[in-house]
């Protein structure tokens, strides 16, 4: 199936949000998505965008997306974080995931970043194999650490 990869526009964010929700269902976290369409538009297309997004498109439908943002490594310097690379189930195996990852890596290289980081859930073996086949190092000896909104509030209350 023929598709194209391009930079996202604010008009795409409703379809991007649908992909985000599809990923949440796949990862058995269907009630975890709190971000809204207004959040995506404000945060991605305001005066100081917080993220950069690429979409994979078939006709006028967004069937994949990759969302990245800038970070800084105290060891390496500028890096980017790939928050999500999502390809709708019907498009998996078509090369869209590779094309989106190619776009992310090309974008990062153009920025002069020293590294591109992302996480993959440990039971998603197809994704792990995909990333490893592209030369990514899946670091199974590192754990992701987070403070969610409630954790932040509790932390602050105990300072």
């Amino acid at each position: 199936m023929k598709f194209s990869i391009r930079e996202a526009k604010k008009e795409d964010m409703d379809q991007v949000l649908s992909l985000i929700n599809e990923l949440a269902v796949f990862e058995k976290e269907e009630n975890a998505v709190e971000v809204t369409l207004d959040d995506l538009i404000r945060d991605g297309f305001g005066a100081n965008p917080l993220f950069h997004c690429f979409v994979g498109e078939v006709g006028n439908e967004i069937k994949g997306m990759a969302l990245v943002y800038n970070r800084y490594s105290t060891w390496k310097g500028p890096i980017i974080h790939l928050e999500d690379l999502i390809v709708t189930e019907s498009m998996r195996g078509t090369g869209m995931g590779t094309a989106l990852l190619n776009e992310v890596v090309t974008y990062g290289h153009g920025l002069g970043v020293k590294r591109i980081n992302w996480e993959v859930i440990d039971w998603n073996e197809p994704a792990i194999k995909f990333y490893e086949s592209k030369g990514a190092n899946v670091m199974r000896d590192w754990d992701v650490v987070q403070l969610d909104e409630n954790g932040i509030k509790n932390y602050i209350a105990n300072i």
Side-chain angles (χ1 to χ4, degrees), residues 41-157:
I41 292 170
R42 178 195 65 231
D43 297 340
F45 300 91
N48 296 303
L50 299 178
F51 66 83
H52 195 87
C53 187
F54 301 99
V55 294
E57 188 173 43
V58 177
N60 291 327
E61 291 187 55
I62 306 299
K63 299 291 189 174
M65 59 82 81
L67 188 145
V68 300
Y69 57 88
N70 294 326
R71 287 179 52 186
Y72 195 84
S73 166
T74 56
W75 289 9
K76 301 295 181 186
I79 63 174
I80 58 172
H81 182 83
L82 172 58
E83 181 63 22
D84 279 318
L85 190 154
I86 307 167
V87 175
T88 196
E89 189 172 2
S90 66
M91 288 299 293
R92 293 183 193 143
T94 65
M96 183 178 282
T98 295
L100 284 163
L101 187 58
N102 291 350
E103 199 67 29
V104 167
V105 173
T106 301
Y107 174 74
H109 179 72
L111 293 175
V113 300
K114 305 294 184 183
R115 187 172 67 214
I116 301 170
N117 282 39
W118 66 96
E119 288 99 27
V120 60
I121 201 160
D122 64 355
W123 53 260
N124 191 348
E125 284 300 323
I128 292 168
K129 287 179 183 171
F130 170 73
Y131 294 135
E132 288 178 335
S133 78
K134 302 301 181 193
N137 179 21
V138 178
M139 301 169 70
R140 296 176 187 260
D141 54 340
W142 283 75
D143 291 325
V144 175
V145 179
Q146 296 179 335
L147 272 175
D148 63 11
E149 187 176 14
N150 194 42
I152 294 167
K153 288 178 184 175
N154 290 336
Y155 189 102
I156 293 296

